[in-house]
Amino acid sequence: MVLSGLQDQLAPLKSWLFPRRVYLQLEDQAFTAMVLDGERVAWLERVPLPEDLCVNGQPTAVEALGDLIGDLLIERGFSGARVKAVLPRAATAWRVIAWPDARWPDQPEVVVRQQQDQLDLPWSLRDADLRLEPLIGAPPRSLLVVVQRALLETWIEVFSQAGVALDGMEPLPICLWRAAEPQLAEGVRLLLQLQEEKSWVLALDQGEPLGEWPLPALTELEALIPALHTFQRRFHPRAALVSGDEPAVDAVLPELVGALGCSVSWLEPHAEAPALRGLVAGDRLP
């Protein structure tokens, strides 16, 4: 009994000295939380959001959303945790940049901002934060990810309202790229993200992104299969990886294989949110 009481008294100090890391994937309809104990998943939960609390990646009620996140972390025993998050898909846009004159520029951000019209981005680069990830090969290229600065600031307010320490936010495309990397090999591969509301396909060549395109929802199989035929003819993939709701995807795997003309395997571990594993991988980079 004495030892138990001592442990209870030391728990707040332990939490302060060794705060747990909570990984969050933010979406319009829900957020997914994950905590690891080494490589073991100690907590994984998808929490639906009230309708219109987050629209197109933008929080519409900062106080309510922050309170929801903060209260959940307290209820699950992770008060005082440090948080790293994946931004909603709609919060970011990305392009592959081929640098002019086939050489790396001295001031890449300046060059990108001068290409506003050619990039066909949904927002003005004057009001956006940029992230450039170099890609291998020739000619020199980079993966450009753009996020609205005001949106970032709004998410920072949400986590401040939640009463947690925010260690950073990552774009969804980069997290998915990292998650798929261990399973990529030479040649073009497709990463299918199949959801009931909307689906996406990410094309990768030699492990590096070529582009990402929307697809019909998993529930719209009559439209989804012809769309996949189009990508098969365009890229001739050697293999495909898939993420999504396990029973629903398993039910249509033969149709996916037939449409793509290649093997289709799960993005591992397929029982988890793959973007969160990509976020963890980024967290562990030297």
Side-chain angles (χ1 to χ4, degrees):
M1 292 295 291
V2 174
L3 180 59
S4 175
L6 182 60
Q7 289 175 336
D8 291 342
Q9 293 177 38
L10 289 176
L13 179 60
K14 183 180 178 182
S15 176
W16 180 72
L17 289 172
F18 307 104
R20 299 296 299 270
R21 166 60 59 79
V22 174
Y23 297 97
L24 291 179
Q25 180 174 352
L26 308 168
E27 305 168 76
D28 285 354
Q29 296 84 17
F31 67 87
T32 303
M34 184 174 76
V35 172
L36 296 179
D37 184 1
E39 291 300 319
R40 184 183 66 84
V41 175
W43 176 41
L44 180 66
E45 183 174 352
R46 179 176 168 86
V47 181
L49 293 179
E51 190 174 356
D52 295 333
L53 203 58
C54 181
V55 178
N56 292 327
Q58 174 82 41
T60 57
V62 168
E63 185 173 342
L65 187 53
D67 287 346
L68 192 157
I69 293 172
D71 290 347
L72 181 78
L73 294 181
I74 291 172
E75 290 169 8
R76 299 298 186 267
F78 296 107
S79 60
R82 305 191 70 87
V83 168
K84 201 162 188 181
V86 182
L87 285 165
R89 182 185 296 280
T92 62
W94 67 275
R95 301 287 186 271
V96 175
I97 300 289
W99 296 112
D101 304 321
R103 64 181 181 86
W104 296 103
D106 294 329
Q107 297 179 298
E109 275 207 19
V110 173
V111 174
V112 168
R113 292 184 188 277
Q114 291 171 346
Q115 295 181 353
Q116 172 78 57
D117 295 338
Q118 300 97 299
L119 292 173
D120 189 30
L121 291 162
W123 320 294
S124 168
L125 290 176
R126 290 193 304 271
D127 308 316
D129 282 352
L130 312 183
R131 174 164 173 176
L132 287 162
E133 293 278 335
L135 303 175
I136 62 173
R141 300 172 304 138
S142 290
L143 177 65
L144 166 71
V145 182
V146 182
V147 59
Q148 291 172 289
R149 192 171 295 119
L151 185 146
L152 275 180
E153 292 170 354
T154 304
W155 277 111
I156 290 170
E157 290 178 27
V158 168
F159 287 109
S160 176
Q161 175 68 30
V164 299
L166 179 64
D167 285 344
M169 292 180 283
E170 291 268 13
L172 178 65
I174 288 182
C175 291
L176 287 172
W177 178 23
R178 289 201 206 105
E181 204 166 18
Q183 292 175 251
L184 297 178
E186 292 184 1
V188 174
R189 292 206 171 196
L190 301 181
L191 171 57
L192 308 177
Q193 305 142 61
L194 303 180
Q195 306 292 338
E196 292 187 356
E197 302 87 11
K198 197 168 186 179
S199 298
W200 297 81
V201 57
L202 172 64
L204 303 118
D205 187 13
Q206 310 299 322
E208 301 207 326
L210 297 173
E212 187 179 48
W213 298 268
L215 289 171
L218 182 59
T219 51
E220 302 168 11
L221 198 60
E222 290 184 359
L224 176 62
I225 295 304
L228 292 179
H229 272 301
T230 301
F231 285 98
Q232 190 279 329
R233 291 191 297 269
R234 178 174 180 180
F235 292 110
H236 304 286
R238 299 180 65 173
L241 300 172
V242 63
S243 69
D245 179 67
E246 185 172 356
V249 173
D250 275 340
V252 300
L253 268 179
E255 287 89 343
L256 301 180
V257 172
L260 294 172
C262 65
S263 64
V264 178
S265 55
W266 280 96
L267 179 61
E268 299 292 346
H270 61 259
E272 298 176 14
L276 290 180
R277 278 294 180 177
L279 185 63
V280 172
D283 209 19
R284 294 175 177 177
L285 288 174

